[in-house]
Every structure is written in structure tokens, then in C-alpha cells.
Amino acid sequence: MKAYKIIYFSFMVLLFASCNEDLLNTIPKDRLASELFWQTEQDAIYASNGIYAVLGDQGRYSSMDAYTDIAHFILQWRAESEVEKHTFSSSNNIIASEWSYYYNIIQASSSFLENVDQVKEMNDVLRKRLKAEAKTLRAFAYINLVMLYGDVPLVTKSLTVAEAKSISQTSASSIWDFIAEELTSASADLPTVQEEKGRVTKGIALGLKARAMLYAGRYQDAKTAAKSVMDLGIYQIHDSYAELFDYAGEESSEIIFARQYAQNLNAHSIFRFFTANSLYTQSCQVVPTKPLVDAYLMKSTGLPIEDPASGFNPYNPYIDRDPRLYHTVYINGDMLANGEVLNSLPGSGTGDDITISAENVTPTGWYFKKYVSNADYNNPWNCGINLIYLRYAEILLTYAEACVELGENEINQSVLNALNEIRNRTDVNMPNVTTLNQTELRRIIRRERLVELAMEGHRLYDIRRWRIGEEVIPGTIKGMTYEDPQNPGTLVTAGLSGYVKEFKPDRHYLWPIPFRELDLNKNLTQNTGF
């Protein structure tokens, strides 16, 4: 997969060069025109690769959780900050860019599906596989569109400008139907393993169906799809949670779907996005908040820190916690990539002192550790770690939640096995879940999703589908609790008293933007170049 872009863009360069023979040639020189394309099997492969090229980028991936309770976007002048505070209008570019991003994927996929049959001499198995890949990527886009905007236009073909102007919204329910049908159909024509890493597989199609049906509240379908992934027998929980988000974990059998990156070729800068200010000033953008850190249970007792019997000591808050905390968040005392120890306490004299008046210094006292590899320290703009879209832990959590929501008849040992398989990975090894009570399991699963999938882009959608926004989002940004150096024995909680997150209860699923203010013409009629 990491070599696709080289092949694809090399092909474009050669094609452009060959078009200079006739200056009166009216075939456009700024794109691959249909008159020159869709002639060979290789053309179809190039076009398929072009859909994957639309996928990205780390900014979108890592900012999404900042719109929830578990993270904070610290650049207050940016559009992301308006979204976090829920003070934005339809002119906010984040709202439009998310719309554009997913409809670009849809347009590229639909264009491929419309045109690939023009290639007459093509292996039928390959044709079916490439079509299935395009359908899966298009469904991936629609899952996100529905969760962000609710009712959106269901587009499955190229549109004229006139058609785009008159298009109407399709109900979310109908789009969930479409997604289910597309992914079921696609999964039948996809292999369980692809020779080229990064391409869509049967597990990806079924896994995305499980996710979509869980989001839609269609729990039987979610359970069935998740179980189908489990029964493939090719995925398993990786022993090391920490390795999953570093170069060492890229070949893990837990990773089902990931955006492929490569240093010096197709890189991103997530290290700089999360890094401590003491390493690179004016770089960090998203930091953890107190609700995330407080969600990690005590390791020895398996109880939440708010439980008096948990053994939690507020004067030593990071002792004996769920190890996923240590692999997700940089806490005071952690070694940074430059060999220095993180110290964000007031008066520490470091570049991370929370009293420093600089917008890229964490106001909560913490930084994110996921995807921050020491290997990227010397060149934080050249990160090659793959960013995970779907992994097996999510499938197990989906299966468990779907069973619990289906009721007592579906709550059995298989639910506990799914949860404990995640908890029992070698570098986590949390106490097993043993209860079969529906209410308790629902609470456990929701917390488990929070800590297991933190900063992987799931929390906003979970909050919306569980309808807990009023409970978890409103309030000021809070951070670490520490002993006041000026008043020994007194605990102080860091944070931003003047920065308030809001939540509008009538918008659990819809971002508040008038449908007609979105640029339909641009996103639904653009030429994809094929």
C-alpha cells in the first residue's frame, strides 16, 4: 500500500508528458480524462488506489476526541476550539471540511464503480474485489457522515450541477440500510487477507458493518457482524497495548484497518501534534483532561477511583492504575523522548510548567502518549506510524455491548470472554469482569470503550448514541490534582476556569448547520480525475 502513491503519481506524470505532442489536443492536461483512461486492468488498479489516497489525515483523526469530555484543543483561536465549546456557526471551516472530506471519498468511490466496467479485458475476480473495496470505503464515509450530521444526501453516482442543487437529504435510517447492504455485499467478494497491505479485506467490511449497526442501535445485526469477524480466526488481541501505537505494532494481528504511512514518502506529524512543549515549543495542540485520566480503574482492586474501597490515594494518584493510562497519557515523572522527565507542576522551571503563559503548554498537566514514538523525536514532521481505523479490540467491545443491549437472554460467558480477552493482554492484565448483571455490564463496557479506545476517534459518536452529552460534556476544562507546594497537604486541581464546554441536548446527532449552506456543488460534482 505504501508504494501505491509512487506508482499512481508516476503514471500521471508519464501521461501528462505524453499529451504534449499535439498543442491543439483538447483533452485536459490537468487530470486523467476518461478518453485516455479505463482501457486496461492496470488503469482500474490505479483508479482504485486513488480512492485510498483520499484517506487521511492525522489532524482530523486526533482532534475528534477534543470535541468531547476526554481531551482539549488548546489553541483557542482555532476553529476546533469553537467546535469544542459549541459556539460555532455554519461558517466554521471544521464543519464544512468534514463534509468535504467524506464526500470526496464517496465521489472517488462512486466514480470508480461507475466506470470500472469500461475495462473490457479484466480478471473477473479482481473486478469484483476492487468494486467491493470501493463499496466498503464509501460505506466507511457514510458511517461518519451520519454520526456527524444525521440525515445527509445519499449519493451513489456522479451528479451534474443541476442535480446537486436539487438533491435532498436521506433519512439516517435509510442510510444505515444502505450501509448494511453495501458491506454485506462487499464482504462476499473480499478475501480475508490481501497481498498488498492496507487494502480492504473481508474483516474490514464485516467490522465496519458491526460498528455501523451498533451506532444505529441494530444490536442483533451488530452482534452477528462482530461474531463473523471473530469467527474468521485471523485476528487476536496484541500482547502489548503500548506497541500497538508504535512502529513495533504495525504488523499486529489486532489491527484490522489502518491508514498506511511511511517516513520520507507519505508521512504525518502526529508526534508534533501531541508532543510536550518542552520538546518542541508552539507545537502541541490536543491534551488529555481529567475525565479521561480519572476513568482508569485501580489495577489491584479493579474498582473506579471514586469508590472508597478502591485504594485510590489522591496524593499519589498514578499509583496502581490500569496500565493503559501509562500507555495513553504522559504523567508527571514519565521520561520524555529527549531523556528528560516530565514535570508540569507550578514552579518546576520546565517548559511544561502549567503556569507558563503560552498556548501550547498543557493547561491540564498531561500530554498524550499514543502514537508519540521516541523514534520520531528528531524529525516530528516525518512520522510513519500507521493510524488505526479499526482493530480487534473494538470488535470484541461491539460484540459485548450488542449482547448486553439485546437483554438477559444474550448475556452469557461469551460476553465476559470478550471483555476479559482485552483486559488480559500482557502489559494490561486487569482483573476479570465476572458479573452478568445487565446494568453493571453496560456501565463496565462504556468505561472500557473510553479507556481502551481513547484518542482513536470514537468518543464523540459514543456520547451521541448513548445520549449522555448533558451528563459528561458541560463544564470547565479540568486537569491534574496535585499538592500545593505553597501549602503542603492542600490539593489543587489544574484547569481552565474561563473555558467552558457546552452541549445542546437537541443536537445529539446533528451538528448545527443548515443543510443548504453546505457546498454541495463542490463536493458532489467535482471531477475526480479518472
Side-chain angles (χ1 to χ4, degrees), residues 365-385:
W366 303 301
Y367 294 101
F368 277 110
K369 187 179 290 186
K370 263 187 181 179
Y371 291 113
V372 179
S373 173
N374 288 350
D376 292 327
Y377 169 56
N378 290 323
N379 195 348
W381 296 269
N382 188 29
C383 307
I385 298 174

Side-chain angles (χ1 to χ4, degrees), residues 121 224 254 283 407:
E121 296 184 8
T224 300
E254 180 171 342
S283 290

Side-chain angles (χ1 to χ4, degrees), residues 418-436:
L419 294 174
N420 293 329
E421 188 173 348
I422 297 170
R423 288 185 164 206
N424 291 339
R425 65 171 95 229
T426 302
D427 69 349
V428 173
N429 197 25
M430 286 292 290
N432 283 341
V433 178
T434 58
T435 181
L436 291 175

Side-chain angles (χ1 to χ4, degrees), residues 438-492:
Q438 184 185 39
T439 301
E440 291 182 17
L441 277 173
R442 181 180 291 122
R443 175 180 52 80
I444 289 170
I445 290 169
R446 292 185 178 188
R447 184 186 290 260
E448 197 72 16
R449 281 186 65 91
L450 191 163
V451 300
E452 174 70 21
L453 304 175
M455 288 313 288
E456 296 179 50
H458 297 271
R459 182 63 174 167
L460 179 63
Y461 298 165
D462 284 347
I463 285 174
R464 286 180 166 176
R465 65 191 182 85
W466 293 334
R467 294 184 175 270
I468 59 172
E470 300 97 323
E471 173 188 343
V472 302
I473 288 183
T476 57
I477 305 299
K478 292 183 179 180
M480 66 179 184
T481 298
Y482 59 93
E483 191 172 1
D484 187 349
Q486 304 301 320
N487 298 287
T490 301
L491 294 177
V492 179

Side-chain angles (χ1 to χ4, degrees), residues 1-3 55-58 61 196-199 241-252 255-263 265-271 274 369-373 376 382-391 455-456:
M1 179 65 187
K2 294 185 178 181
L55 295 174
D57 56 31
Q58 102 277 348
Y61 174 94
E196 297 169 296
K197 184 175 175 58
R199 297 198 82 99
Y241 187 77
E243 282 186 358
L244 275 174
F245 311 100
D246 209 330
Y247 293 99
E250 288 194 332
E251 302 299 323
S252 170
I255 298 173
I256 301 175
F257 184 25
R259 175 66 163 88
Q260 304 295 298
Y261 287 96
Q263 291 174 318
L265 176 63
N266 177 32
H268 57 79
S269 56
I270 203 166
F271 183 101
F274 287 157
K369 187 179 290 186
K370 263 187 181 179
Y371 291 113
V372 179
S373 173
D376 292 327
N382 188 29
C383 307
I385 298 174
N386 296 337
L387 301 183
I388 302 170
Y389 290 144
L390 176 68
R391 55 189 177 90
M455 288 313 288
E456 296 179 50

Side-chain angles (χ1 to χ4, degrees), residues 267-444:
H268 57 79
S269 56
I270 203 166
F271 183 101
R272 185 176 61 85
F273 203 86
F274 287 157
T275 192
N277 185 68
S278 59
L279 297 187
Y280 289 96
T281 59
Q282 296 185 313
S283 290
C284 182
Q285 297 186 42
V286 178
V287 296
T289 59
K290 189 175 180 61
L292 172 61
V293 175
D294 285 357
Y296 292 89
L297 304 173
M298 298 298 290
K299 180 174 172 59
S300 58
T301 62
L303 296 174
I305 65 172
E306 60 269 22
D307 190 319
S310 68
F312 176 69
N313 181 355
Y315 291 91
N316 289 290
Y318 310 124
I319 303 298
D320 189 39
R321 302 289 294 279
D322 182 334
R324 285 173 291 189
L325 168 61
Y326 314 133
H327 303 316
T328 304
V329 177
Y330 277 108
I331 57 179
N332 271 320
D334 278 351
M335 186 77 71
L336 297 172
N338 64 350
E340 299 293 327
V341 173
L342 175 65
N343 187 346
S344 56
L345 291 171
S348 65
T350 70
D352 303 306
D353 185 326
I354 59 174
T355 62
I356 294 176
S357 181
E359 61 182 5
N360 296 97
V361 178
T362 174
T364 65
W366 303 301
Y367 294 101
F368 277 110
K369 187 179 290 186
K370 263 187 181 179
Y371 291 113
V372 179
S373 173
N374 288 350
D376 292 327
Y377 169 56
N378 290 323
N379 195 348
W381 296 269
N382 188 29
C383 307
I385 298 174
N386 296 337
L387 301 183
I388 302 170
Y389 290 144
L390 176 68
R391 55 189 177 90
Y392 190 52
E394 182 191 342
I395 298 299
L396 295 178
L397 287 167
T398 296
Y399 175 81
E401 183 177 349
C403 289
V404 168
E405 296 303 329
L406 285 169
E408 293 183 1
N409 291 336
E410 300 293 333
I411 301 174
N412 52 42
Q413 187 62 40
S414 69
V415 174
L416 303 185
N417 291 344
L419 294 174
N420 293 329
E421 188 173 348
I422 297 170
R423 288 185 164 206
N424 291 339
R425 65 171 95 229
T426 302
D427 69 349
V428 173
N429 197 25
M430 286 292 290
N432 283 341
V433 178
T434 58
T435 181
L436 291 175
N437 178 272
Q438 184 185 39
T439 301
E440 291 182 17
L441 277 173
R442 181 180 291 122
R443 175 180 52 80
I444 289 170

Side-chain angles (χ1 to χ4, degrees), residues 132-153:
E133 292 178 27
K135 287 181 178 181
T136 302
L137 293 174
R138 185 168 63 181
F140 171 72
Y142 271 117
I143 291 170
N144 288 279
L145 281 168
V146 173
M147 292 307 294
L148 289 174
Y149 301 96
D151 299 345
V152 295

Side-chain angles (χ1 to χ4, degrees), residues 157-211:
K157 67 181 185 68
S158 298
L159 302 178
T160 65
V161 172
E163 288 172 329
K165 287 181 177 179
S166 62
I167 197 169
S168 60
Q169 292 163 291
T170 303
S171 70
S173 178
S174 295
I175 294 179
W176 289 130
D177 291 340
F178 172 78
I179 290 169
E181 292 168 2
E182 288 284 277
L183 292 174
T184 300
S185 170
S187 66
D189 292 326
L190 288 165
T192 55
V193 178
Q194 292 267 28
E195 290 185 10
E196 297 169 296
K197 184 175 175 58
R199 297 198 82 99
V200 169
T201 62
K202 185 184 296 288
I204 293 174
L206 292 172
L208 289 177
K209 182 181 178 183
R211 175 189 290 180

